[in-house]
Amino acid sequence: MPQSADLVKDHARLFQEPEYQALFARKSEFECGPPAEEVARVAEWTKSWDYREKNFAREAVVINPAKACQPLGAVFAAAGFEKTLSFVHGSQGCVAYYRSHLSRHFKEPTSAVSSSMTEDAAVFGGLANMTEGLANAYALYKPGMIAVSTTCMAEVIGDDLFAFIKQSKDKGSVPQDFDVPFAHTPAFVGSHTTGYDNMIKGILHHFWGSRERVAGESINIIPGFDGYSVGNLRELKRVLDLMGVSYTILSDTSDIFDTPTDGHYRMYDGGTTLEAAKAALNAKATLSLQTACSAKTLPWVADKGQATQSFNYPLGVGATDEFLMAVSALTGKPIPEALEKERGRLVDAIADSAAYLHGKRFALFGDPDQAIGLTRFLLEVGAEPVHILATNGDKDWAARVGAILAASPYGKGGKAWAGKDLWHLRSLLDTEPVDFLIGSSYGKYLERDCKVPLIRVGFPIFDRHHHHRSPVFGYQGGINLLVKILDKILDEADRQSVAADGISFDLTR
Amino acid sequence: MNAMTKEDTRALIGEVLEAYPEKSRKKRAKHLGVYEEGKTDCGVKSNIKSIPGVMTVRGCSYAGSKGVVWGPIKDMLHISHGPVGCGQYSWSQRRNYATGTTGIDNFVTMQVTSDFQEKDVVFGGDKKLDKIIDELASLFPLSRGISIQSECPIGLIGDDIEAVSRRKAKDVGKTVVPVRCEGFRGVSQSLGHHIANDTVRDWVLEKAKVDFKDTPYDVAIIGDYNIGGDAWSSRILLEEMGLRVIAQWSGDGSLAEMEKTPKAKLNLLHCYRSMNYISRYMEEKHGIPWLEYNFFGPTQIAASLRKIAAHFDDTIKEGAERVIAKYQPMVDAIIAKYRPRLEGKTVMLYVGGLRPRHTVDAYGDIGMQAVGMGYEFAHNDDYQRTTHYLKDGTLIFDDASEYELEKFVQALKPDLVGSGIKEKYVFQKMGVPFRQMHSWDYSGPYHGYDGFAIFARDMDMAVNSPVWSLTKAPWKQG
């Protein structure tokens, strides 16, 4: 008998027991699957150049994409404002999905409500759902603001959020002066980064729309969709505080996705205050840390008279330098010696470990700006980014990555793949292998199938815990990232040396 | 132990309802109740539209079809037809274990989508779907079929996925199944189960030509999704008692198994809510009887094994007794180990359409009592099937909102809450132990005797974890 009270075996070990192995053999008789040799033959063929060509000839089907849809980004963006509840207008299943997706990554509750539209709303429109829904959400969850976005159902039938919110308020579902910013977030346009952009713009439009700007000295920072927002934003604030800069982060998700277990559930916690969001109109400048997450917002902000600048997920030495210098130039605040010392420590760490990084070939995938940040970092440490893929990247993104690669001797063999998915990446890894893969948890299938060790960086991380708590931004984040990469490289060196009869199983590396 | 009287519980429901605007309060009042001993149902309304804005826990038809019924069929490619999100969020989340080589003859953990763009919504997606099916046939030659899982836009833009399916099934020589499970249809996952069942009937069973040598002991497992291997730890018992399992629906299932099922002598239905439809169809069309069994916990497992055996001859009846006797020492040891640690503890359950009732006695086996129970998407017949599991005075909630759940837990103070990922962290923050009862919290299997050992271990590790004694800072205690 495989199971016992002394040692309870769960799925990880139970099904390895002979009783279950025999069960699998019995079951296969009824499955009528292909013979093992045929499976092996086809598996081998999928690794070939022939298969790669077929795979890249795809025009219609998308397989294992590394992107999500707009409303996810909108819900994430809205969560970073004080006491803000996301209200997603359309089918309710979508909201269940956004909530579970974010909760699986952050291991935190995610609050959002739906207008629960069904067949009748598809015919008559969802105004009644919005009116009733806003009233219920307001009464039950006592939010300070309700941020409305849309599922594709509401977009296909053409529901007009501006008119619906106005009519709902007229019917008394929420007070007239209650803040209900909105953004249309069709899932069939762009990705979650687009939805983030639209929601930030929607919220700023709501607060800034008709007001006159009185230019001040503060700066705004739009961090963008980021699975590391908890660690990253705390690090960003620490750095800006060290510089003595006056700033507003538009949207600060660092507390809502990191609430304590102390016997009290906080549905709302932290976030950018609504007062600060209003006052952000008067800022001197707005900086976006991810170009793809502010494509519409930044030009609109520039129209308001602010200086704007966007970055590509500032991690590593050079990108952090650029970001800090930009902040310094805008605010007139010098970069303090403490930060210069931190910079030196990151460079010191890279120097200590460069020998293990130099010339290692990497593939990486993720959101466009994060992919750029990681590419630059790999080049800085002497590694060679080979396949760089962003399912939600566009031609401009590919051109930017191309330029970065061309500027470094370590980038000569690299190529950016915009709009491709992880099934494409599988072919790339099979035909042009690399030493390591960087990406989200979805990369674990590639790790298994292409036998390339995965370094988990990105969103979502479902199968490792608490990574989001440590920053990857800035010099400190650079050290975290370096350690993460090195741990995998050195673990792999040990694993390989054990496989090679223990030769090179060095104590000191 | 919960000390609330029925009057207290009714008062609690009243208090919770107070927070709603009047119209919604009236609607929600019908879904909350207190079970009265001897009643034939639970006294709540069910399978009704969720109220907007209240944070229902429910999902949609697509989740019921792709996520539950069709997705686990391992040798078919399941296209999430529409925008990218639905397929992305449901990708590999239901832990439907399946043997085979991913991407070669097993496609369960792949996210295949038509990734609709604006032009597809404007001009329709049928041509794209046609091309997708060709591309899939070329890239995955060992796949046995394709299902098309419709997302919201499909039904709104007037695509004819049935016509595409008929045409492409001929072109590629494989089964192609169009499923109209758009998320706006119906009120929850439940209609998606039904729609998916109907497509199995129309596009698989009614088309299949099966050459198969049956035996008098052939049964099929229906409605086990093999979460963490549940169907395997169930199958092993059925095989040990002398039955031959010719099909698993749909965990670790294959198209060939589905097609053979009308040859079974008895359909064994675990998840009644999601697969009673196809079982009734096979009963009417092929004369195959079905029975709902429950493989959670030794009390129900033994009762179910005997109930199943009663449909067969003495060999099988003896086989059932042999299996029960074989596992009894292990069961006794598990209960001796865990029951003293859990005796008298209470649990509140809020899961889909089956597990609250199916797990109550398993909790009872380890000394725990359910003080509150609800379903996300059950129907009236589920509540009727629940009554004999219930204790007088149990709080019942249908399609509960997060607000209600939070208030109920605060008042009932259960020692454990069993629900889903969206609820998990809310209650853990409150210091209440929690287990995910959809995914088994990445553990399992929980079905069968082997699964019961894991179930007992997991509930103990949740309830008795030392972490719960740390939630209050010492200077705040007392």
Side-chain angles (χ1 to χ4, degrees), chain A residues 11-68:
Chain A
H11 57 86
R13 294 180 62 185
L14 185 64
F15 301 124
Q16 306 307 316
E17 296 291 327
E19 289 88 341
Y20 282 97
Q21 291 296 312
L23 178 148
F24 296 151
R26 285 194 300 276
K27 183 175 184 297
S28 70
E29 177 197 336
F30 302 98
E31 295 174 352
C32 306
E37 313 79 67
E38 183 67 354
V39 172
R41 187 189 64 76
V42 172
E44 207 46 45
W45 169 64
T46 62
K47 297 173 185 164
S48 67
W49 277 90
D50 177 50
Y51 190 85
R52 171 173 166 167
E53 278 156 26
K54 268 198 161 61
N55 192 7
F56 275 76
R58 270 191 277 146
E59 290 173 349
V61 72
V62 172
I63 304 166
N64 299 353
K67 67 170 181 181

Side-chain angles (χ1 to χ4, degrees), chain A residues 424-455:
Chain A
H424 290 118
L425 186 53
R426 188 184 197 262
S427 281
L428 294 174
L429 293 171
D430 279 333
T431 50
E432 297 177 79
V434 297
D435 299 311
F436 296 93
L437 170 66
I438 299 181
S440 70
S441 290
Y442 297 126
K444 77 185 297 176
Y445 299 116
L446 295 168
E447 177 174 47
R448 178 193 60 191
D449 296 349
C450 308
K451 307 205 167 18
V452 53
L454 171 67
I455 298 160

Side-chain angles (χ1 to χ4, degrees), chain B residues 162-321:
Chain B
E162 288 79 11
V164 177
S165 298
R166 274 189 286 270
R167 186 171 70 243
K168 297 313 288 182
K170 286 196 193 113
D171 283 1
V172 300
K174 294 178 199 237
T175 297
V176 181
V177 183
V179 190
R180 290 277 179 188
C181 55
E182 290 90 343
F184 62 83
R185 292 190 200 278
V187 304
S188 68
Q189 292 92 315
S190 184
L191 187 64
H193 305 143
H194 196 157
I195 291 167
N197 276 228
D198 288 352
T199 56
V200 173
R201 177 193 66 203
D202 297 343
W203 296 82
V204 178
L205 297 189
E206 300 216 326
K207 287 175 188 283
K209 293 182 188 68
V210 181
D211 182 24
F212 176 68
K213 264 191 84 156
D214 57 348
T215 78
Y217 300 127
D218 290 355
V219 296
I221 293 175
I222 310 279
D224 190 321
Y225 300 104
N226 207 31
I227 290 160
D230 280 339
W232 295 329
S233 56
S234 301
R235 182 187 187 107
I236 202 162
L237 302 180
L238 299 172
E239 289 183 341
E240 281 179 19
M241 72 192 270
L243 296 171
R244 195 171 81 139
V245 181
I246 64 168
Q248 278 178 214
W249 292 45
S250 49
D252 194 33
S254 58
L255 186 60
E257 287 169 74
M258 255 190 178
E259 290 174 342
K260 285 187 192 80
T261 309
K263 301 280 183 186
K265 298 295 176 293
L266 179 65
N267 276 331
L268 304 176
L269 179 57
H270 205 252
C271 182
Y272 171 85
R273 181 67 275 134
S274 60
M275 284 202 176
N276 78 84
Y277 318 99
I278 198 71
S279 306
R280 292 177 194 279
Y281 163 77
M282 284 189 266
E283 183 178 39
E284 284 162 25
K285 170 100 180 185
H286 304 283
I288 307 171
W290 56 272
L291 66 84
E292 183 182 345
Y293 70 109
N294 177 355
F295 269 7
F296 287 103
T299 303
Q300 286 296 331
I301 296 171
S304 290
L305 288 173
R306 289 183 176 124
K307 194 163 84 168
I308 293 165
H311 282 255
F312 295 93
D313 61 18
D314 286 349
T315 4
I316 302 298
K317 290 183 183 113
E318 284 156 22
E321 295 307 322

